Amino acid sequence: MAVAPHLHLPSTDRVLSSRTGWTRAHWEATADRMLDALTPYATPGFAQYRLPGRGSWSGVVSDGLEGFARSFLLAAFRIAGAGGAVDPALTERYAAGLAAGTDPASGEAWPRLTDCSQQMVEAASVAVALHETRPWIWDRLDAKVQERVVDWFSGFVGGRTWDNNWRLFQVVSEQFLASVGAPYSASDIEEGLARIEDWYVGDGWYTDGDGRNFDYYIGWAMHLYPLLWARIAGPGGDGGRAAAYRQRLSRFLEDYPHFFGADGAPVHQGRSLTYRFAALAPVWMGALADCTPLAPGLTRRLASGTLRHFVERGVPDERGLLTLGWYDTFLPSTQPYSGPASPYWASKGFLGLLLPPDHEVWTARELPLPVEESDTYTALPAPGWLLHGTRHDGIVRLVNHGSDHNPPAPDLPALETGADPDRGAGEDDPHYAKLAYSTATAPESAPHALARDVDNHLALLAPDGTPSRRRRIHPLRCEDRVAASWSAARLPGDEHPYRIETTSVLHGPWEIRVHRVEAPEGAVVREGGHAVAHAQSPFASSGPDWALARTPDGLSSALVALYGWDGGADGAAVARDVESNAYGPHSAVPYLRSAPRAGGRSVHVSLVVLSRDSIHPEALRTAVRVRVDGDAVVLTFLDGRTVEA
């Protein structure tokens, strides 16, 4: 793909950066274009940036503050990384915005910090930006402006935040107050840092608050802010905590490159995906905090590959703006708290500009990503995920048996006792509830598609076609190339929770799913594969035991029945939709469907394929031999490998 010409990027350097061609100059040019593009949307005193797009539930003034704070983070990395040698207008804009935003008489003053208010999120960005640009902005502010800024931040002291990554916003903001000699609460900082210890689950992984909340917030919040706090606290001011934070981040980064495809795309999973290349924040922080296990050339290749991936696909857009979506504007992949400036948390992805130009991350030759060197299999027991990447097409797939973004399950006896395993759970979210995600696909997430809930989901269908949901996920196993979990399924008018247990086995580009299903009489079992999407309608084909969808550029998704599917002529098909997928306006999902069940328990085995290779579903029916003996399901592959699921 060609880079959008409106960015005016430097020429590529294929000697230093043989895989992406990008250098630090490309990062600086992209940052400058994004910052310059904001100025037409600034209020007169530059305290707010009121961008076009759907407003958030916090209101226009809060959204305007968000535009200032999140872009200030990008400006700070650009200013500090250049040692202040930037266009003076850039520092002047943000200094003026600080003065106007904290002046009640300015007409564009920021809302006060109140308990659990959106302003708390934005204040943390302002605090980090002020610290990093201290010689060029804070130290040059008029004393009265400094006093007003301190007064605004003081709303954090003794305040209450949401009990998740928000605790860290209070930590970094009050540490900034401490760093400028202003009143602050040491106990607020202590309690916030102590709280995240409750969420550390090992192997470099946190959960974002109570429950199984695993997504990119682990990198761009749970790992990022503790080490930003340590930078503000300074040497000796961290009480020894920073060493543990560096060690955890190092362990996290050992696996993190496996989340990125050869084209630079991150796996499309979790909330707030409109932050896009903010997913690079932990990669840069590892280098900045001198704790990364990644070679310098791999750090830059990963980061530049991801930023370039989005730039090649129109991000930022022709105006230089980040829109609410993934590539184009796509509101179903956002949340109600997302306003028009929310995407500018992507600024975290530019953290690497704080590294000096002569740092080895910028001067070393690029190294390949794991998926560019070989097929990869990565088991992550903490979040309950399997990652598998295939070198020939560069796709990385995530198999999900652990992250559901629900409150923690209460202590419950076995399902057979009649206890409700979904008690306290919320609605299922397509960005968490699916069985699989990838770097080449997104889940169907528009409301009309959610009602059908076909893709990467095993459902019981009621007589009227209503599908059961996968709400709370109960992990059972995650090791080597196998992961398993169970969830409860309900049908309208039936309060009984029916247990669905799924085991995923990886083999090359394939995922074999073994489902043990409990269902009432008359229920139909349906399973969907990956949704593929494109600007043009995908090709679709199906046979008695298989279904396939393929985009015009050759990305294929197929689902093949291996055992237990008895739907006959109507047992396999492709579901189509429009405007339901972040990857394109036309989408298609292959699916399998059983005949109505007699009730009780049954076993269903399917082969899931997502590939840029040619796929021959009829041949794949013989690729795996399945033997079912009671509760034991044995899979035998053509290479002789045998797995008992």
Side-chain angles (χ1 to χ4, degrees), residues 57-358:
W57 60 14
S58 297
V60 65
V61 177
S62 176
D63 289 350
L65 164 61
E66 190 171 62
F68 175 90
R70 299 189 180 198
S71 65
F72 187 20
L73 203 57
L74 176 60
F77 298 154
R78 183 70 178 95
I79 293 165
V86 296
D87 183 345
L90 182 61
T91 54
E92 290 166 4
R93 284 202 302 271
Y94 285 93
L98 289 161
T102 56
D103 181 1
S106 69
E108 50 192 279
W110 303 331
R112 299 291 297 177
L113 295 176
T114 55
D115 287 354
C116 299
S117 63
Q118 182 65 30
Q119 296 86 269
M120 287 183 161
V121 184
E122 312 319 323
S125 291
V126 175
V128 171
L130 282 172
H131 172 74
E132 298 297 345
T133 59
R134 192 177 300 247
W136 305 284
I137 294 183
W138 175 260
D139 290 347
R140 299 181 184 182
L141 289 177
D142 182 86
K144 291 184 178 180
V145 176
Q146 290 182 339
E147 290 174 5
R148 293 204 305 266
V149 172
V150 164
D151 179 64
W152 184 69
F153 273 115
S154 69
F156 260 121
V157 181
R160 181 174 63 88
T161 74
W162 296 118
D163 197 29
N164 53 17
N165 68 86
W166 281 46
R167 298 294 290 263
L168 295 169
F169 304 150
Q170 185 172 35
V171 166
V172 297
S173 297
E174 292 204 46
Q175 191 62 54
F176 175 74
L177 287 174
S179 74
V180 297
Y184 72 103
S185 170
S187 63
D188 283 350
I189 296 174
E190 177 67 27
E191 290 169 8
L193 294 174
R195 185 65 174 119
I196 69 171
E197 297 302 311
D198 298 332
W199 302 325
Y200 185 67
V201 296
D203 292 337
W205 284 88
Y206 294 87
T207 176
D208 181 15
D210 293 334
R212 299 192 61 81
N213 305 320
F214 301 106
D215 54 24
Y216 287 110
Y217 274 85
I218 310 310
W220 66 43
M222 304 306 294
H223 279 297
L224 180 66
Y225 285 104
L227 286 167
L228 289 174
W229 164 79
R231 285 173 66 84
I232 300 173
D238 61 16
R241 281 190 165 99
Y245 299 150
R246 287 194 293 269
Q247 184 180 35
R248 292 172 185 176
L249 176 56
S250 179
R251 175 65 187 89
F252 179 78
L253 290 174
E254 289 179 21
D255 299 319
Y256 199 57
H258 293 275
F259 282 82
F260 295 82
D263 62 357
V267 170
H268 193 95
Q269 179 273 341
R271 65 192 173 97
S272 300
L273 289 169
T274 193
Y275 302 159
R276 301 174 173 104
F277 35 84
L280 300 173
V283 178
W284 287 125
M285 179 52 83
L288 195 63
D290 195 23
C291 63
T292 183
L294 310 181
L298 177 56
T299 294
R300 191 176 78 257
R301 188 269 173 271
L302 193 164
S304 292
T306 297
L307 183 59
R308 177 167 181 160
H309 174 85
F310 284 101
V311 167
E312 287 178 334
R313 289 158 180 79
V315 181
D317 69 8
E318 70 282 356
R319 301 165 296 178
L321 300 180
L322 301 181
T323 59
L324 282 165
W326 184 245
Y327 300 135
D328 301 325
T329 299
F330 185 72
L331 296 181
S333 66
T334 65
Q335 286 70 41
Y337 57 72
S338 302
S342 290
Y344 284 83
W345 242 27
S347 298
K348 295 177 179 183
F350 286 82
L351 185 70
L353 290 179
L354 292 178
L355 296 165
D358 60 354

